[in-house]
Amino acid sequence: MITRIFRVSVPKSLHHEFEKNFLSVSVPYVKAQPGFISVVVGKPTSWEPEEYVMISVWDSEADVAAFAGKNWNRAVIPQGMEKYVSKCWVHHYENFD
């Protein structure tokens, strides 16, 4: 299994609109992908006031590549969501069995 951590920095002025769309567009998009197992989403704290996170777990590296493409170390931003992103990062980890 692979854990994919997507972190995104969103300007504070867009938080309300982003949160609504993150939960109604981005999360369902990821959940609908073959090989998807689970997801956890997080919102900003005082330590990271502009950063959101989506942590998804996948059956295999091949499933992540099918979802994210050949260069699956890059973010997948659903159409219309790119306007919220000031910076983003993607990290992958192979899960311990």
Side-chain angles (χ1 to χ4, degrees), residues 3 37 46 57 93:
T3 295
I37 296 174
S46 58
V57 178
Y93 302 90

Side-chain angles (χ1 to χ4, degrees), residues 4-7 72-76 88-93:
R4 179 179 171 93
I5 300 174
F6 168 70
R7 298 169 38 225
W72 51 272
N73 62 324
R74 295 189 182 147
V76 174
C88 65
W89 307 265
V90 178
H91 311 278
H92 295 92
Y93 302 90

Side-chain angles (χ1 to χ4, degrees), residues 32-94:
Q33 302 303 312
F36 165 83
I37 296 174
S38 66
V39 68
V40 174
V41 293
K43 59 185 180 178
T45 65
S46 58
W47 296 278
E48 295 294 341
E50 294 189 357
E51 192 171 298
Y52 292 82
V53 66
M54 180 188 299
I55 302 168
S56 54
V57 178
W58 299 80
D59 277 326
S60 69
E61 188 176 300
D63 290 317
V64 176
F67 160 65
K70 181 180 173 184
N71 295 319
W72 51 272
N73 62 324
R74 295 189 182 147
V76 174
I77 310 292
Q79 187 174 1
M81 295 298 291
E82 63 280 339
K83 69 181 182 180
Y84 304 111
V85 178
S86 59
K87 289 197 289 186
C88 65
W89 307 265
V90 178
H91 311 278
H92 295 92
Y93 302 90
E94 189 170 344

